[in-house]
Amino acid sequence: EMVFRRFVELGRVAVVNYGPDAGKLCVIVDVIDQNRALVDGPFRETREDKKQGKLVEGLGMSRQAVNFKRLVLTDLVVKGVGNGTRSGTLEAMLHDQNILERWNKTAWAKKLIAKKARAQLNDFQRFHATALRRQRAAIVRRKYKEIVAEQRK
């Protein structure tokens, strides 16, 4: 079995990890050389996504060359992407293959949502979250002690 499962290929969905587009989703539409790829991020945000608080990455990411060091490959691949597929065609493929919904279901996307939510907390909300975490830990500790005490009998 192969050690690597995520390869640079046309249609591979990636996340930009550095620079002004950090955290945005993109799709590899062409490989320029061994260091760079042409990527496009034609995702659009809908009103429903805003209401539901879904993470819609890639907004405003234009077609551009990105160094592979700035990309983290995901397990998602858009089928049917050819060399230099146009943005409109790519957006239709993303919609047809439910790439954004599949991305939002991954643990990676959920962690990004949680990280973004934590970053937007004010001082009191951080304090409140810490207090709730301590209460939960106390309850778990108490139950654990009860279980251990019962097993010793």
Side-chain angles (χ1 to χ4, degrees), residues 83-101:
N83 248 2
T85 301
R86 294 179 175 209
S87 293
T89 309
L90 182 61
E91 189 170 7
M93 288 178 181
L94 291 167
H95 182 70
D96 292 342
Q97 297 176 29
N98 297 323
I99 297 295
L100 205 52
E101 290 80 20

Side-chain angles (χ1 to χ4, degrees), residues 49-65:
D49 292 332
K50 282 184 179 179
K51 286 179 187 175
Q52 295 175 1
K54 287 184 181 176
L55 182 70
V56 181
E57 292 295 337
L59 299 176
M61 180 149 182
S62 59
R63 182 176 287 237
Q64 58 189 293

Side-chain angles (χ1 to χ4, degrees), residues 104-138:
N104 283 326
K105 290 179 185 175
T106 63
W108 191 351
K110 290 175 185 176
K111 285 178 189 176
L112 286 177
I113 292 170
K115 185 177 181 180
K116 198 175 216 180
R118 277 194 309 272
Q120 293 176 348
L121 293 178
N122 62 28
D123 188 43
F124 179 72
Q125 290 169 331
R126 276 193 301 276
F127 167 76
H128 188 64
T130 303
L132 291 175
R133 204 167 29 247
R134 286 180 180 169
Q135 286 177 3
R136 184 183 62 200

